[in-house]
Amino acid sequence: MNRHVNFERLHNFRDLGGYATEDGRRVRWGALFRSDSLAKLADGDGDRGEDWDRFLALGVRTVIDLRYPWEIEANGRVPDHPSLAYHNLSVEHRPYNQAGLGPDVEPGPYLVQRYMEVAHDGVKELRRALEVIAGAEDGPVVFHCASGKDRTGLLAALVLALMGVDETDIVEDFTLTELATERLVADWRAAHSGRLPDWPGYGRAPADVMRLFLAALAERHGSVRDYATGLLGVDDELVAALRARLLEPAGEPPLSFRRADERDLAELVRLRDEAARRLLARGIDQWKPGQLGEDHFRARLADGEVWIATLGPGGPVAGAWELWWDDPAAWGPQPPTAGYVHRLMTDHRTGPPGTGRRMLAEAERRVAAAGRSLCRLDCLAGNARLRAYYEAAGYEAVGEQPAKDGGAGHTYAVTLLEKRLRLP
C-alpha cells in the first residue's frame, strides 16, 4: 500500500490511517499525516502553485512543526493561511549534523542514542504534541520536521503505540521513508553545490533503527505506554481522547459487497444524483442531478460490472461503483492490463468514515483477481480535492485527457490516474 501523498516539492508526506489496533479497530484515514518540511510548499520565490492547492485540498487544519526555531528562521515554515493552526514544538534539544557523520557510523546504534535523547529531553514538547493532536477536532493534523524521518518518526511511533498498533506496523511505517530517500538526498545535494552527504546513512530509515529504539525505551521504562505515563504524564483521559480522535468508531457493521442487478437501478440513480448535488454545492460543475437515469446503469450492468456496498449482508446501501474492463473515451485503445473504476459513490447518511476507500480497495482486489496489474480512474482536471483523495490512496497521475466525452452531451478535461497492483 502506498501511503505517500504525491507532491512536487514534498517527498515524505504520508497518511497514518489504516493501521489495525490490538482491539480490532483501525486508525482513521485522512485524520493524521506525517511529512518532511512544509516550508517546501512554497518555492524559493514564494510561489505556492499546485502543491499548495493539493495540500489545502486535504483539509488539514493543524500543523505541528517539530524543528528548531533556528531551522524555521533559516528555511521557512508552512505558509500562513486562515484555516491553519500552527504549533512549533521543538522536541530535539541537542542538535547534530547527520550529513556530516563519518561513513563508519552505524545508523542503528547511533540514531537510537539520538532518539533516546529526544524522548527524554523533549518531554514537554512531546506531551504538548499529543494534546494538540487529541484536541484538534475540526480537521486533519500533520506533524513534520525537516526530512520527516527522525523527530517525525519518533512522534509517529509514540502515537501509534498509544493507539495500540502492533510494533511490527510501527517499524514498517518508519521504514517507508526509504521510498523518499533518493529525493531527500537530491534536495540536500541541491542545497550544497551538488556534493554528496558524507554519511551514507543520510535519509535512510532501516527497520533496525526503530526496532532498537522501541526496545531501548521498553528496557528503560517497561513499555512505550509506561514511558508515556511515567515521563510524559499521559493519563487514561488523554489516551482516550487520542483514540476518539484518531480511531474509526467501534462496533460498526463490516461492509459487504455484491454485484448490482436490475432491482438496484433506482438506488444507483439516487446515489448518483446525491453525489452530483454534493459536487455542485462545492462549486464543482461535473455531474448534474437527473443527468444519468436507469438506462445508463442498465447498460453498465450489461457491458461491465456495477457493485453495491452494504452495511453487512442485506443491510442498508453504503455506496456503489462501476468497474469497466476498457475505457477508450479516457484512455484510448489499451491492452487488457487494467480495470477502470467509475462513479465511486458513497451514501453519506449510512456509509461510515472510510467507505470510499474500502470500496476502492475492493475494486482493486477484483481487478487483481482478474489478472490485471493496473487499476485506473480519472477525475475532473480542476478537482484538486478529489485528485488528492485518490493520490492518498496510492494512485499516481499519469496524464491528462483534455476532451473526454462523458456521454452526457459535452466534453471536459480529466486527469488520468493509475495504481499498480500486486497480483495474487
Side-chain angles (χ1 to χ4, degrees):
M1 178 183 298
N2 182 7
R3 295 177 168 276
H4 282 77
V5 181
N6 293 326
F7 291 89
E8 283 296 318
R9 293 188 290 267
L10 293 176
H11 313 318
N12 204 13
F13 193 109
R14 56 191 205 253
D15 197 324
L16 284 166
Y19 287 118
T21 64
E22 58 193 3
D23 60 354
R25 297 170 69 181
R26 287 190 178 273
V27 181
R28 288 173 50 209
W29 289 101
L32 187 63
F33 300 98
R34 53 177 294 173
S35 181
D36 47 333
S37 174
L38 296 183
K40 299 176 187 176
L41 286 169
D43 65 15
D45 297 322
D47 179 26
R48 300 180 184 183
E50 291 186 6
D51 270 6
W52 180 242
D53 293 339
R54 194 168 302 166
F55 174 76
L56 292 180
L58 294 172
V60 172
R61 293 293 179 265
T62 304
V63 173
I64 300 173
D65 190 337
L66 303 175
R67 297 173 300 159
Y68 290 98
W70 56 262
E71 290 179 274
I72 299 167
E73 181 69 24
N75 301 308
R77 47 153 280 186
V78 65
D80 283 319
H81 192 272
S83 70
L84 294 177
Y86 175 78
H87 304 265
N88 179 211
L89 301 171
S90 179
V91 296
E92 185 179 275
H93 293 196
R94 305 183 218 183
Y96 62 101
N97 178 18
Q98 279 197 24
L101 297 175
D104 57 336
V105 174
E106 290 279 348
Y110 180 82
L111 288 178
V112 168
Q113 291 180 21
R114 303 290 78 77
Y115 290 11
M116 289 295 282
E117 289 172 357
V118 172
H120 293 89
D121 294 346
V123 167
K124 177 181 176 182
E125 293 84 2
L126 288 168
R127 160 75 191 215
R128 179 59 186 151
L130 295 175
E131 292 174 339
V132 170
I133 294 170
E137 298 179 352
D138 59 344
V141 178
V142 57
F143 56 90
H144 74 90
C145 54
S147 295
K149 176 174 76 78
D150 300 308
R151 289 165 286 186
T152 296
L154 190 156
L155 180 56
L158 179 58
V159 172
L160 293 176
L162 291 175
M163 294 300 95
V165 173
D166 187 78
E167 181 176 313
T168 302
D169 288 331
I170 295 173
V171 172
E172 181 180 347
D173 183 79
F174 176 78
T175 66
L176 292 179
T177 287
E178 293 277 334
L179 298 176
T181 296
E182 183 176 347
R183 296 179 71 192
L184 294 171
V185 172
D187 273 359
W188 190 93
R189 295 187 67 182
H192 294 84
S193 304
R195 68 183 180 91
L196 284 169
D198 295 331
W199 191 40
Y202 181 82
R204 298 291 310 280
D208 280 350
V209 174
M210 182 54 64
R211 192 177 294 115
L212 290 171
F213 168 63
L214 294 175
L217 210 59
E219 182 179 1
R220 184 173 301 188
H221 298 281
S223 68
V224 177
R225 178 63 188 271
D226 289 338
Y227 154 77
T229 301
L231 211 58
L232 303 186
V234 173
D235 55 18
D236 290 344
E237 183 178 354
L238 179 52
V239 172
L242 283 166
R243 289 173 61 84
R245 173 75 176 79
L246 297 177
L247 298 185
E248 293 179 352
E252 290 178 344
L255 287 184
S256 296
F257 306 103
R258 61 174 175 80
R259 286 282 292 270
D261 59 30
E262 289 271 341
R263 293 168 294 181
D264 298 305
L265 293 175
E267 186 75 354
L268 291 167
V269 172
R270 180 188 69 80
L271 283 171
R272 205 272 184 180
D273 285 348
E274 290 185 357
R277 293 187 187 97
R278 287 196 299 272
L279 288 173
L280 290 172
R282 295 173 183 167
I284 300 170
D285 186 12
Q286 180 179 3
W287 293 358
K288 291 181 173 60
Q291 196 174 50
L292 298 182
E294 292 188 5
D295 286 347
H296 165 85
F297 290 103
R298 185 177 288 109
R300 296 289 76 78
L301 292 175
D303 63 17
E305 299 180 9
V306 182
W307 286 84
I308 297 280
T310 62
L311 298 182
V317 171
W321 74 93
E322 297 175 16
L323 180 58
W324 301 5
W325 298 109
D326 62 358
D327 185 8
W331 294 82
Q334 294 284 330
T337 58
Y340 301 83
V341 176
H342 284 274
R343 272 169 278 280
L344 188 74
M345 306 175 293
T346 300
D347 189 326
H348 284 207
R349 301 171 306 170
T350 57
T355 293
R357 183 71 70 89
R358 291 160 72 183
M359 291 193 297
L360 196 55
E362 175 64 14
E364 293 161 5
R365 188 191 69 78
R366 291 199 57 76
V367 172
R372 302 196 178 197
S373 59
L374 294 170
C375 191
R376 288 173 170 162
L377 46 80
D378 63 73
C379 70
L380 192 68
N383 193 339
R385 185 185 182 96
L386 185 57
R387 174 173 170 170
Y389 175 85
Y390 287 131
E391 289 181 331
Y395 285 78
E396 179 181 2
V398 294
E400 299 282 336
Q401 164 57 274
K404 176 183 175 180
D405 183 355
H410 68 285
T411 62
Y412 47 91
V414 295
T415 300
L416 304 176
L417 302 104
E418 69 179 20
K419 180 177 182 178
R420 187 161 296 278
L421 307 177
R422 180 179 297 176
L423 296 181

